[in-house]
Amino acid sequence: MFLSKDDWIAQRAYALWEAEGRPDGRGGEHWQQADREYRMLEETRASADGSDLIERLKAMGRSMRAAEDREDRPETPGKAMPSRRSAR
């Protein structure tokens, strides 16, 4: 059975409330915590075939390679790297 977003959050907030001993006046906090957990689950959910995860990993790899390329460049842009040839 699939729950709607609000149903999932309501059930999770209730579970948090029960786990804390059913304290008075903390309903808003439990609801916010459940909402954060729901958003985290949604952000990490992959498509049925995993294609969205594959695309995210490819994009991450491209970003990492670009960062490595920037690290390999000289610190002062516009200046050429010293030549390895001896001066004449």
Side-chain angles (χ1 to χ4, degrees):
M1 178 172 127
F2 294 102
L3 299 174
S4 72
K5 174 185 175 181
D6 288 336
D7 290 340
W8 189 95
I9 292 172
Q11 286 186 11
R12 179 63 182 144
Y14 185 82
L16 290 168
W17 174 71
E18 281 191 321
E20 288 189 14
R22 300 179 176 185
D24 289 332
R26 305 263 324 274
E29 292 174 41
H30 295 125
W31 189 273
Q32 289 174 349
Q33 175 64 33
D35 183 58
R36 281 191 299 272
E37 290 178 15
Y38 182 86
R39 282 186 277 130
M40 287 174 51
L41 286 171
E42 285 295 306
E43 289 174 6
T44 59
R45 181 180 298 176
S47 62
D49 65 356
S51 61
D52 62 333
L53 179 59
I54 291 168
E55 287 305 314
R56 278 191 253 160
L57 290 172
K58 285 180 182 177
M60 186 184 306
R62 287 189 294 268
S63 296
M64 292 173 71
R65 283 190 297 278
E68 288 172 357
D69 289 346
R70 285 191 299 270
E71 289 175 1
D72 291 341
R73 293 184 191 149
E75 290 184 24
T76 52
K79 288 190 175 184
M81 294 292 289
S83 173
R84 292 187 179 181
R85 286 191 259 164
S86 60
R88 293 185 184 185

